Amino acid sequence: MREPEPEPDQRRRAVWEAFEACTALRYEVSICAPRFIVGPADDSFRRLRDLRDLVADGFSRDSDEYVAGRLRYDKAYQALRDAMRKDLGADA
């Protein structure tokens, strides 16, 4: 959403539509990736979903709720990247 103050329903719909592709990728990872990657991938997905919900509810990126959620997501995403690098043998 690029509008400064979109209507709540419009914002919520746009946020959910943007997130939709992540769901399909989550299922793909769950059947294709090694098990030690699936756990961090699920956690990262859940933290991203939490951010989606905050944005859909109108929290800005400057809000305490969003900042805390973003830190949780960043930590989960780092764990996922670490697991993927390990799988690729690139964790040197």
Side-chain angles (χ1 to χ4, degrees), residues 10-78:
Q10 182 183 12
R11 178 185 54 245
R12 189 170 292 110
R13 188 172 32 259
V15 169
W16 279 72
E17 287 174 5
F19 185 78
E20 184 129 359
C22 297
T23 302
L25 292 173
R26 176 187 186 201
Y27 292 119
E28 187 175 335
V29 167
S30 73
I31 62 172
C32 295
R35 291 184 190 270
F36 71 90
I37 291 177
V38 173
D42 280 346
D43 190 42
S44 182
F45 175 84
R46 288 184 187 106
R47 300 301 71 82
L48 184 59
R49 185 180 59 196
D50 293 344
L51 281 178
R52 174 207 64 193
D53 293 345
L54 288 170
V55 172
D57 289 342
F59 289 97
S60 73
R61 66 181 183 181
D62 299 325
S63 70
D64 292 340
E65 293 85 355
Y66 181 89
V67 170
R70 179 59 193 249
L71 290 173
R72 287 189 296 272
Y73 170 71
D74 288 346
K75 183 178 178 182
Y77 188 50
Q78 182 63 55

Side-chain angles (χ1 to χ4, degrees), residues 36-37 78 80-92:
F36 71 90
I37 291 177
Q78 182 63 55
L80 173 58
R81 287 193 311 264
D82 291 346
M84 292 172 80
R85 290 181 63 75
K86 178 181 177 185
D87 184 50
L88 295 170
D91 60 348

